Amino acid sequence: MEKKSVAIVGAGVSGLAACKHLLERGCRPVVFEADAVVGGVWAHAPECTRLQSNRTTYQYSDFPWPETVTEAHPKGELVAGYLNAYARHFGVLECVRFGHRVAAMEYAGVAEEEVAAWEEWAGCGQAFGSGDGEWRLTVADTEGRVQVHKADFVIVCVGRFSGVPNIPTFHPGTGPEIFDGKVIHSMEYSKLSSEKCKKLIKGKRVTVVGYGKSALDIANECAKVNGAKKPCTMVVRTKHWVIPSFYAFGVDMKIFYLTRFAELLIHKPGEGFLLSLLAIVLTPLRLMISMFAKIYYSTEMKKHDMVPDHSFFEGVVAGSFAIAPKDHYKNLEEGNIIVNKSRTFSFCKDGVLLEGGSTLVKSDIVIFGTGYKGDQKIKDIFTSEYFRSIVVGSTSTARLLYRECIHPKIPQLAVIGYSESYSDLYTSELGTKWLADFMDGGFRLPSVNIMQMDVLEWEKFMKRYSSSHFHLSCIASLHNWYNDQLCRDMGCKPRRKNGILAELFEFYGPGDYSNLHPN
């Protein structure tokens, strides 16, 4: 593999891990990073942003956090520092070309019709194909110079939560253009320094649109700066499960949602008859656990009419839940944050008009915490309309990636870090280990047809348990089942705990795969 040319797009959590594991196998990839630093979204996280998961689950398996970091949920700047230290330690920085943005990618050497007709991935089931095809990347630097870089294999690590902001659309005459104040997206806010953020919001009437992680962080930052004198208003279209922690009455609820025991309660992609029967028998237990979680976690939410319409279990499966910022519910109680529920909204000269236009939220600044168009970002990188049309599926399908890494119909290319889990870093790293082993000839991929059938099994799971959120492709509730598949592909032992009780009830994390060595 050392003689093959490999390009990695993005130097965030996934790109760094991909480069590190390829370097260990004698391949020296080129990493194209549009930014001037590594770390992806963490390189510009607002000061108020902290890890959602515990730091011991958000770390690389062979690179623990330094002893100086003791917080369970470190701030964004500490996460960025950790990622930079990882890149330095393993020589990844030497492979990164900073300030180089991949504007387009084209697969050359084989006609699209032939690619579409292949029964084996890349024509032969192997990473680099038959040698006829290659990728050509159009790369632009900060000075506007453009070059074409050729690669035998491309690993796309652009992530879902950056790059292309999701901006709401409005009818003519009802959008930000008629508003006298300032309108920005959370992406712009996150790029500001801490001092500039405080200066922007201090003494201002701030309206935050959204109720996801970014929106919550920014709203609570506003509450901290302005208090009840200038309360921050949140305009919420969809209610989410925003919980204080994963503990309930001192019990770690991960036992019932993120362990092998929890996976026995649900139907899994490709399960056999006995596991299917067991899931049916244990369904009442799953429903009881879900009801308990709903009752426990909704106590604070009921006070503000913010209990979601979907169950907590569905929120976990779809990844549509968040750990609340430290003082979120306190800020709601004290009036530092005001929540307005509205399916639609529009602008006027003085602020935001909620659904129906009867309620005016006077504003000086409106911040869209409305997420990103991750699908659009990855589509736009391809010049081929065919690849654009298939790479992320559609609104009626889940994402079509085999092992959450490989599209059955796109050769010599992998996508890492595009699926959510309890700890995205942990999931991405194991995916890069799997990919590096595949690229180094450790195993062959099954036929295109078998991979597509496997993808459909995962789609069936998502549609069964996460209702309208199925397209989000979150594997948190089946992360052990998923990890087991990767381990078997690599010829490694899936069960990595000591004893049956530990296997069933202990949470699997990065440390369990620190000594994973593919055969």
Side-chain angles (χ1 to χ4, degrees):
M1 187 169 61
E2 66 275 4
K3 295 182 180 180
K4 298 293 185 180
S5 107
V6 178
I8 299 174
V9 185
V13 166
S14 302
L16 297 179
C19 183
K20 183 261 185 185
H21 287 290
L22 289 178
L23 285 172
E24 287 183 339
R25 290 174 176 266
C27 175
R28 191 170 184 82
V30 176
V31 184
F32 295 109
E33 172 53 55
D35 207 340
V37 291
V38 300
V41 294
W42 290 110
H44 303 288
E47 183 185 24
C48 53
T49 299
R50 292 179 175 269
L51 274 180
Q52 287 275 284
S53 52
N54 190 289
R55 76 173 190 283
T56 57
T57 63
Y58 200 91
Q59 67 179 23
Y60 295 107
S61 61
D62 52 3
F63 194 74
W65 282 81
E67 294 181 359
T68 53
V69 179
T70 57
E71 299 96 325
H73 304 277
K75 288 185 176 182
E77 62 181 351
L78 292 176
V79 180
Y82 169 78
L83 296 174
N84 189 62
Y86 174 86
R88 289 199 314 271
H89 181 79
F90 291 107
V92 173
L93 286 180
E94 299 169 11
C95 299
V96 182
R97 296 186 185 180
F98 293 106
H100 284 70
R101 180 178 63 88
V102 177
M105 298 195 314
E106 176 186 11
Y107 187 68
V110 183
E112 284 184 2
E113 295 79 8
E114 185 178 348
V115 171
W118 277 339
E119 295 181 358
E120 299 290 331
W121 190 78
C124 61
Q126 297 184 12
F128 299 100
S130 61
D132 295 329
E134 66 178 7
W135 284 96
R136 296 176 182 175
L137 287 69
T138 302
V139 183
D141 64 18
T142 53
E143 297 180 1
R145 293 173 299 207
V146 176
Q147 291 183 330
V148 175
H149 180 89
K150 296 180 180 180
D152 299 311
F153 198 100
V154 175
I155 307 175
V156 178
C157 304
V158 296
R160 292 171 54 191
F161 306 110
S162 63
V164 182
N166 180 32
I167 305 293
T169 57
F170 303 90
H171 295 297
T174 64
E177 71 278 0
I178 65 171
F179 175 47
D180 280 349
K182 186 178 182 66
V183 180
I184 63 173
H185 188 271
S186 60
M187 183 175 75
E188 298 171 71
Y189 183 90
S190 66
K191 290 181 179 180
L192 299 175
S193 66
S194 175
E195 289 304 315
K196 287 184 178 180
C197 285
K198 291 177 182 178
K199 184 178 180 180
L200 174 70
I201 62 179
K202 188 173 179 60
K204 303 290 178 58
R205 297 170 298 183
V206 182
T207 296
V208 176
V209 180
Y211 206 59
K213 176 61 176 158
S214 296
L216 289 164
D217 283 341
I218 294 171
N220 282 274
E221 181 82 348
C222 293
K224 182 180 178 181
V225 172
N226 292 326
K229 292 182 179 179
K230 296 284 184 179
C232 175
T233 299
M234 300 190 77
V235 177
V236 179
R237 185 183 68 175
T238 304
K239 302 174 187 177
H240 297 292
W241 287 99
V242 179
I243 62 177
S245 74
F246 242 114
Y247 283 83
F249 297 119
V251 177
D252 190 346
M253 293 297 288
K254 290 197 296 291
I255 294 174
F256 304 109
Y257 286 97
L258 300 173
T259 60
R260 291 194 186 279
F261 165 73
E263 293 180 3
L264 293 176
L265 310 183
I266 55 180
H267 293 284
K268 296 165 284 296
E271 68 185 356
F273 172 76
L274 290 179
L275 287 177
S276 178
L277 180 62
L278 187 59
I280 294 172
V281 171
L282 294 177
T283 293
L285 177 59
R286 175 175 61 81
L287 295 176
M288 289 173 58
I289 293 170
S290 185
M291 181 59 68
F292 168 78
K294 181 173 183 177
I295 293 171
Y296 180 84
Y297 288 126
S298 64
T299 302
E300 285 288 345
M301 299 180 195
K302 281 182 179 178
K303 298 177 184 178
H304 311 283
D305 189 26
M306 290 303 292
V307 180
D309 297 326
H310 57 274
S311 69
F312 181 70
F313 171 75
E314 184 178 324
V316 173
V317 174
S320 60
F321 73 98
I323 304 297
K326 181 182 177 182
D327 295 320
H328 177 63
Y329 286 105
K330 179 182 177 182
N331 284 325
L332 289 176
E333 288 286 343
E334 295 177 353
N336 301 327
I337 296 176
I338 298 171
V339 174
N340 280 306
K341 294 165 286 295
S342 181
R343 296 292 301 174
T344 62
F345 73 98
S346 60
F347 283 90
C348 65
K349 181 179 179 180
D350 298 321
V352 171
L353 292 170
L354 302 186
E355 190 171 9
S358 59
T359 303
L360 168 63
V361 180
K362 291 186 177 182
S363 313
D364 300 310
I365 302 170
V366 175
I367 303 175
F368 291 139
T370 47
Y372 295 85
K373 293 182 178 179
D375 289 355
Q376 190 62 48
K377 179 170 63 170
I378 198 168
K379 283 181 180 180
D380 289 346
I381 204 170
F382 293 97
T383 58
S384 163
E385 287 297 330
Y386 171 61
F387 289 157
R388 285 187 181 188
S389 67
I390 65 173
V391 63
V392 292
S394 66
T395 55
S396 62
T397 63
R399 293 195 172 85
L400 308 175
L401 298 176
Y402 176 72
R403 299 293 193 254
E404 302 293 315
C405 298
I406 297 287
H407 193 289
K409 288 287 189 178
I410 304 181
Q412 296 164 240
L413 178 138
V415 179
I416 300 289
Y418 214 66
S419 295
E420 288 188 81
S421 70
Y422 180 71
S423 172
D424 294 345
L425 181 149
Y426 154 48
T427 300
S428 290
E429 186 197 16
L430 197 56
T432 60
K433 287 185 177 183
W434 177 89
L435 180 63
D437 188 43
F438 164 60
M439 293 174 66
D440 203 23
F443 59 92
R444 291 168 58 95
L445 292 179
S447 69
V448 169
N449 184 55
I450 290 177
M451 288 195 288
Q452 289 176 325
M453 290 174 61
D454 182 84
V455 168
L456 289 176
E457 282 290 313
W458 281 86
E459 180 183 286
K460 180 181 176 181
F461 159 76
M462 292 299 297
K463 288 184 175 180
R464 180 173 195 159
Y465 290 115
S466 60
S467 185
S468 60
H469 303 284
F470 71 88
H471 63 282
L472 295 177
S473 193
C474 177
I475 61 171
S477 57
L478 282 184
H479 74 109
N480 296 303
W481 185 258
Y482 167 73
N483 291 347
D484 290 351
Q485 292 180 328
L486 301 189
C487 287
R488 291 190 187 98
D489 290 344
M490 292 185 282
C492 299
K493 183 178 70 172
R495 305 289 188 267
R496 313 188 70 78
K497 298 284 190 183
N498 293 320
I500 185 64
L501 291 179
E503 277 292 343
L504 283 174
F505 298 107
E506 287 186 6
F507 178 77
Y508 261 78
D512 295 299
Y513 299 96
S514 60
N515 60 346
L516 185 94
H517 301 295
N519 295 322

